[in-house]
Amino acid sequence: MKVLVIVAHPNIEESIVNRTWLGELKQHPAVTVHELYKEYPDEKIDIEREQRLCEEHDRIVWQFPFYWYSSPPLLKKWQDEVLTHGWAYGSNGNKLHNKELILAVSTGSPKERYQAGGRNNYSMSELLKPFQATSNLIGTKFLPALVFNGTYTANDEEIKESAKAYVDYIFTKDVLH
């Protein structure tokens, strides 16, 4: 299985969790790591290149910190520009059909804040529904998200363990729902 991890973190050098995840991913030659902010500092996305990368892989991972209940802006721009009608959706838009999509998301707040009655009032599953709807539209199989909560209070050991668990997760043949 060929795995493409699209990393969308606008300040990866200062990120503890996403930077650790990135370091672990880069140790695995079966993973293609694609850092959007590094690749496109001017935000001028090479659409054909991005589409080709997606076509060449079986499983696509969008890795990002959770910003204002969504992704960082360059990942949203990537979706707007790369997932085009006639390629990703529409009557002839089938280039991503039967591929798998996973989200790898980090949040600053603890898990308790992402539930009914919690500070954010909604679970991560509910808040990530727009990504699932996108997956449905483009014909990918949406697999359960890997979410790391509590980056503000996590210790080094928890972060290192999460990086190893992340790599194991994206290589699991049959991710359970």
Side-chain angles (χ1 to χ4, degrees):
M1 174 173 294
K2 293 178 72 178
V3 179
L4 171 64
V5 179
I6 298 173
V7 179
H9 196 301
N11 198 359
I12 196 79
E13 296 79 24
E14 293 191 23
S15 168
I16 297 171
V17 172
N18 279 269
R19 188 180 69 228
T20 303
W21 286 359
L22 191 59
E24 186 69 25
L25 288 168
K26 287 182 176 180
Q27 294 180 41
H28 298 274
V31 177
T32 301
V33 176
H34 187 54
E35 295 179 71
L36 290 183
Y37 281 90
K38 183 177 178 183
E39 198 66 37
Y40 302 112
D42 59 0
E43 297 190 11
K44 293 183 178 156
I45 297 171
D46 182 341
I47 296 165
E48 289 180 11
R49 177 175 182 245
E50 297 300 312
Q51 290 175 341
R52 196 170 41 254
L53 266 174
C54 290
E55 289 175 16
E56 293 169 353
H57 292 82
D58 307 302
R59 182 172 280 174
I60 300 167
V61 180
W62 291 341
Q63 176 186 322
F64 58 93
F66 205 48
Y67 275 31
W68 290 104
Y69 308 105
S70 190
S71 64
L74 190 54
L75 181 55
K76 175 61 171 108
K77 182 175 182 171
W78 184 95
Q79 293 167 343
D80 291 343
E81 294 185 7
V82 174
L83 304 178
T84 58
H85 184 271
W87 181 79
Y89 68 98
S91 58
N92 295 319
N94 60 4
K95 299 296 188 202
L96 299 176
H97 285 192
N98 302 316
K99 294 184 183 290
E100 298 171 336
L101 179 64
I102 296 176
L103 304 180
V105 181
S106 60
T107 72
S109 298
K111 186 175 184 175
E112 304 81 58
R113 291 196 176 174
Y114 292 99
Q115 62 187 4
R119 182 176 182 188
N120 296 305
N121 294 310
Y122 301 99
S123 68
M124 283 301 293
S125 176
E126 291 172 292
L127 293 167
L128 295 174
K129 288 292 184 204
F131 295 98
Q132 186 172 2
T134 298
S135 178
N136 293 341
L137 180 65
I138 64 176
T140 56
K141 180 179 180 185
F142 190 75
L143 300 177
L146 178 116
V147 179
F148 185 92
N149 296 107
T151 62
Y152 297 144
T153 58
N155 64 43
D156 289 344
E157 188 59 33
E158 291 169 323
I159 294 167
K160 286 178 190 172
E161 286 176 18
S162 77
K164 292 182 186 328
Y166 173 27
V167 170
D168 289 345
Y169 186 75
I170 65 172
F171 281 112
T172 301
K173 290 263 186 222
D174 298 307
V175 178
L176 300 175
H177 288 278

